[in-house]
Amino acid sequence: MHMPSTNPRAAWLHAARQPLRVDQAPRTAPGRGEILVRNRAVAINPFDGIVQSLGSLVTPWLRYPAVLGSDLAGEVLAVGPGVSRFAPGDRVLGLALGVEKAANRPVEGAFQECVILREACAARMPPGLAFEQAAVLPLAFATAACGLFLSGHLGLRRPSPDRVSPACGDSVLVWGAATSVGSCAVQLAAAAGYRVIATCSAHNFEHARSLGATACVDYHDPAAAARVVEAIGGSPLAGVLCVAVGAGGACIDVAGRCAGARRVAMASVPVSLVDAPLEAQFRWNLGRLPRLALGFAGLALRARLRAVRTSSIWGTAVIHDPWGARLFEDFLEPALASGRFQAAPRPLVAGTGLEAIPAAMQRLAQGVSARKVVVSLPVPMTASDWPAGTAPEYTSASAH
Ligand SMILES: NC(=O)c1ccc[n+]([C@@H]2O[C@H](COP(=O)([O-])OP(=O)(O)OC[C@H]3O[C@@H](n4cnc5c(N)ncnc54)[C@H](OP(=O)(O)O)[C@@H]3O)[C@@H](O)[C@H]2O)c1
């Protein structure tokens, strides 16, 4: 087992509503089924800021100090017992579970230099894919797969990694196709053989089409739901993935008006939480939380009236499913290698080093359009920090 000669560092969250503090992290050897990864890029998700600001309201189990972050790409430093898929030097992308209830372990959070990943949550990156580009995928991919394919959600026909499934004639609506989650969902549903109807801003139609959308509707159009129903036409609607704050009502209306499964899986909530302040929250809570509760109640009533079944997605749950637990290995890795799956959307690199993460989180809170906010992590270690013969070569494609 080999580690960098200096202690790695992490962006620590010492308590809810505190700023992140970059400080040393303990060296941890990977356990059974785990790999130790030297992070080269991390991506920011809305959830990171929500956990930091709202703490026990969303993650009551979280032990502090904690390390946030779900998305990363880097190089394998060491593998634990029983790991056969990876070796030191491999370039991987991975879904970090530090904040997950089942893990709840800072060393598994993405926002640090060396992270422990579970083997099942990692996929080898194809040559030429930059770390910053690869880091856009893990949580968005897991969330899209969870909502589309697990039986508790839409339970759709599953895609094969090596061929596009024959068209089944059914449609899937991805409301929010320019989001990171939606960018993965469009590709996954298209790969499974569905006609994908996408909503996004008009300037992202090409983005959605390039990922496999059959038809695009601008959600700013007051008649967007009716336009979506038109685009679905006579084809049965196999399900709706709702990936946009506040779009649940429109998604339920569409599912209720179309022949088909009458199912909506929701990745997002009725009211935005990304602007929760770190301090002086009482007034914010007083204004927002009742609206959130009312929003959920309104959606439940609407779904009942339209005879539509809804479900709320917890993206990382996919890895607790027997099929989902193999998704990074059986689907993502080969599909990235063959070019059948793209690491989309494009990264928006907001800074370099762990110190850049708070500003990157703020950048995301300001809103993005078909971009994922990413932070590059430099490599301070020298070749002598690597086991003999395993020091990776940085090509212009993998360097930033
Ligand atoms: N439940 C989970 O496990 C889980 C996991 C990950 C994410 N999420 C949630 O899923 C949502 C998306 O996350 P993300 O990181 O993928 O988002 P993101 O990439 O930051 O989302 C930005 C995009 O949202 C789109 N958008 C905004 N309002 C919209 C609307 N009314 N209809 C359609 N599109 C709209 C915009 O599209 P245009 O640019 O085209 O206007 C923009 O490109 C967030 O609410 C996030 O919290 C949930």
Side-chain angles (χ1 to χ4, degrees):
M1 234 282 305
H2 186 85
M3 295 271 192
S5 52
T6 53
N7 257 18
R9 299 177 318 144
W12 292 99
L13 179 66
H14 285 277
R17 294 181 294 284
Q18 293 295 309
L20 302 184
R21 296 206 188 287
V22 176
D23 207 345
Q24 299 225 317
R27 295 161 175 241
T28 308
R32 174 158 292 278
E34 295 176 343
I35 59 178
L36 178 69
V37 172
R38 177 59 164 99
N39 252 340
R40 294 294 306 280
V42 295
I44 315 291
N45 286 284
F47 187 61
D48 302 321
I50 292 172
V51 173
Q52 182 184 16
S53 316
L54 295 181
S56 60
L57 282 179
V58 284
T59 47
W61 57 83
L62 192 59
R63 279 195 295 264
Y64 296 95
V67 175
L68 305 177
S70 304
D71 287 337
L72 65 99
E75 290 125 343
V76 176
L77 282 176
V79 303
V83 171
S84 54
R85 284 174 60 213
F86 300 107
D90 283 350
R91 300 165 76 245
V92 295
L93 60 86
L95 176 65
L97 299 180
V99 172
E100 272 295 295
K101 192 173 184 181
N104 204 0
R105 208 162 64 120
V107 74
E108 292 192 60
F111 293 170
Q112 56 191 319
E113 290 168 349
C114 291
V115 60
I116 295 282
L117 272 186
R118 301 181 184 204
E119 186 182 22
C121 296
R124 200 172 282 102
M125 292 163 51
L129 182 63
F131 292 114
E132 288 77 4
Q133 186 71 61
V136 309
L137 279 180
L139 181 63
F141 171 74
T143 305
C146 183
L148 292 173
F149 303 117
L150 293 201
S151 56
H153 298 292
L154 302 185
L156 301 180
R157 186 170 85 163
R158 292 166 178 178
S160 147
D162 44 22
R163 59 180 173 81
V164 173
S165 306
C168 64
D170 291 7
S171 294
V172 170
L173 168 61
V174 177
W175 194 295
T179 64
S180 300
V181 176
S183 299
C184 289
V186 170
Q187 297 186 75
L188 284 166
Y194 291 94
R195 291 178 74 232
V196 181
I197 314 302
T199 73
C200 51
S201 290
H203 67 264
N204 284 323
F205 282 2
E206 198 39 51
H207 169 81
R209 285 202 188 100
S210 74
L211 300 175
T214 315
C216 299
V217 171
D218 187 344
Y219 65 86
H220 296 97
D221 183 341
R227 303 252 176 280
V228 166
V229 173
E230 257 171 51
I232 292 166
S235 93
L237 180 60
V240 180
L241 191 74
C242 175
V243 205
V245 171
C251 290
I252 290 169
D253 288 350
V254 171
R257 286 170 62 184
C258 294
R262 305 179 85 87
R263 298 209 63 165
V264 178
M266 305 205 189
S268 43
V269 289
V271 175
S272 177
L273 301 176
V274 295
D275 61 337
L278 282 190
E279 288 155 13
Q281 269 196 337
F282 183 71
R283 279 179 101 180
W284 186 92
N285 285 353
L286 204 64
R288 199 64 55 90
L289 300 183
R291 274 175 57 205
L292 184 66
L294 276 175
F296 276 121
L299 288 180
L301 181 64
R302 199 161 182 153
R304 204 187 166 100
L305 291 172
R306 310 265 192 286
V308 169
R309 268 200 294 165
T310 62
S311 57
S312 290
I313 303 168
W314 187 263
T316 44
V318 78
I319 60 134
H320 303 303
D321 173 85
W323 171 80
R326 300 195 55 84
L327 207 55
F328 280 73
E329 177 178 2
D330 289 355
F331 180 86
L332 187 57
E333 189 172 305
L336 281 173
S338 67
R340 287 190 181 281
F341 196 87
Q342 299 175 38
R346 278 167 44 204
L348 189 162
V349 180
T352 299
L354 295 175
E355 289 78 2
I357 289 176
M361 290 168 73
Q362 280 176 11
R363 176 64 192 83
L364 176 63
Q366 289 162 12
V368 288
S369 181
R371 288 283 185 281
K372 185 96 187 167
V373 176
V374 167
V375 171
S376 296
L377 298 178
V379 185
M381 62 179 63
T382 64
S384 65
D385 287 322
W386 293 87
T390 64
E393 279 181 13
Y394 296 107
T395 62
S396 54
S398 65
H400 37 85

